C-alpha cells in the first residue's frame, strides 16, 4: 500500500546528521489514514502547522490529487523531519508558482533535500522562478541557505501581515 501513497526518492545522508535521508512526494490523501504512515504524518503536521493542523490536513486531503499541488515530506532514518508544500496555481495576477510552506527547523540536510525537490518540481512544471515566504521561524539566512543548494534566492519584494482589526473606520 505504501507504494500507492507516495512517490519516493532517496538521497544520500548529509554530513550534519547520520541516517538515511529520503524525500517523498505525497500523492494520495489516504496516507493520512494509513495505519503505518498516518500517525507520523499527523505528528509532523502538528509541529509544522501548530495553529491550524486540522485545517491544513483537510485542505491537503481535498487538493492532494491536483497535479498543481506538491507536498513533499522528508524522513531521516525512521522519523519524518520536514515538509514542503508548493503550488502551481498561477494566474495573470500571480504568475509565479509558490512555495507555500517549508518546514524543517532542526535539520539542515532535510532543508537542503526538500529545497532540491521543490525546485526540481517547479522546473518540471516549466517555470524558471518561484515565490516563497519564510514563515518558519528560522532566520532568513538559514532558511534561504537551503535553497542556495538548488536555486538562486533573490530578495525581490517585501511581505507584510496587515492587522485589519484596527483603523480604517
Amino acid at each position: 500500500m505504501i507504494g500507492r501513497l507516495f512517490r519516493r526518492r532517496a538521497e544520500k545522508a548529509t554530513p550534519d546528521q547520520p541516517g538515511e535521508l529520503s524525500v517523498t512526494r505525497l500523492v494520495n490523501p489516504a496516507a493520512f489514514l494509513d495505519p503505518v504512515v498516518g500517525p507520523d504524518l499527523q505528528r509532523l503536521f502538528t509541529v509544522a502547522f501548530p495553529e491550524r493542523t486540522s485545517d491544513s490536513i483537510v485542505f491537503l486531503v481535498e487538493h492532494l490529487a491536483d497535479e498543481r499541488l506538491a507536498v513533499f515530506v522528508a524522513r531521516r532514518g525512521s522519523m519524518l523531519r520536514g515538509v514542503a508544500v508548493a503550488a502551481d496555481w498561477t494566474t495573470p495576477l500571480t504568475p509565479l508558482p509558490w512555495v507555500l510552506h517549508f518546514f524543517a527547523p532542526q535539520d539542515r540536510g532535510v532543508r537542503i533535500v526538500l529545497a532540491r525537490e521543490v525546485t526540481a518540481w517547479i522546473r518540471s512544471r516549466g517555470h524558471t522562478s518561484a515565490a516563497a515566504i519564510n514563515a518558519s521561524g528560522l532566520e532568513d539566512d538559514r532558511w534561504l541557505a537551503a535553497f542556495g543548494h538548488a536555486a538562486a534566492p533573490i530578495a525581490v519584494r517585501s511581505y507584510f501581515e496587515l492587522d485589519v482589526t484596527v483603523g480604517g473606520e
Side-chain angles (χ1 to χ4, degrees):
M1 174 130 183
I2 299 287
R4 289 180 293 167
L5 299 175
F6 299 109
R7 293 182 193 144
R8 184 174 301 258
R9 181 147 98 193
E11 296 282 341
K12 278 181 21 182
T14 56
D16 59 338
Q17 293 192 18
E20 180 187 350
L21 183 56
S22 63
V23 176
T24 303
R25 180 168 178 204
L26 191 59
V27 294
N28 186 335
F32 286 98
L33 302 174
D34 183 81
V36 176
V37 297
D40 287 345
L41 286 170
Q42 294 280 343
R43 278 190 290 279
L44 175 63
F45 278 70
T46 299
V47 175
F49 305 99
E51 298 173 4
R52 53 195 189 283
T53 304
S54 296
D55 292 341
S56 298
I57 291 172
V58 167
F59 175 84
L60 292 175
V61 166
E62 290 174 352
H63 294 90
L64 207 50
D66 188 334
E67 283 296 315
R68 298 172 299 166
L69 180 73
V71 179
F72 297 97
V73 292
R75 180 182 299 274
R76 185 178 294 278
S78 64
M79 294 194 55
L80 288 178
R81 300 294 301 265
V83 60
V85 180
D88 187 14
W89 292 315
T90 57
T91 72
L93 300 175
T94 56
L96 297 176
W98 279 86
V99 178
L100 300 174
H101 196 78
F102 189 83
F103 179 83
Q106 299 172 1
D107 193 326
R108 175 182 167 268
V110 167
R111 287 193 299 275
I112 291 169
V113 297
L114 279 174
R116 287 178 179 157
E117 286 296 319
V118 167
T119 55
W121 179 79
I122 290 166
R123 281 190 301 277
S124 77
R125 308 262 321 147
H127 298 284
T128 57
S129 60
I133 296 172
N134 177 12
S136 69
L138 286 176
E139 300 84 22
D140 286 347
D141 58 342
R142 284 182 61 203
W143 190 83
L144 284 172
F147 284 98
H149 291 267
I154 304 164
V156 177
R157 305 281 187 271
S158 297
Y159 170 78
F160 301 94
E161 182 174 322
L162 304 175
D163 181 352
V164 298
T165 63
V166 295
E169 291 184 21

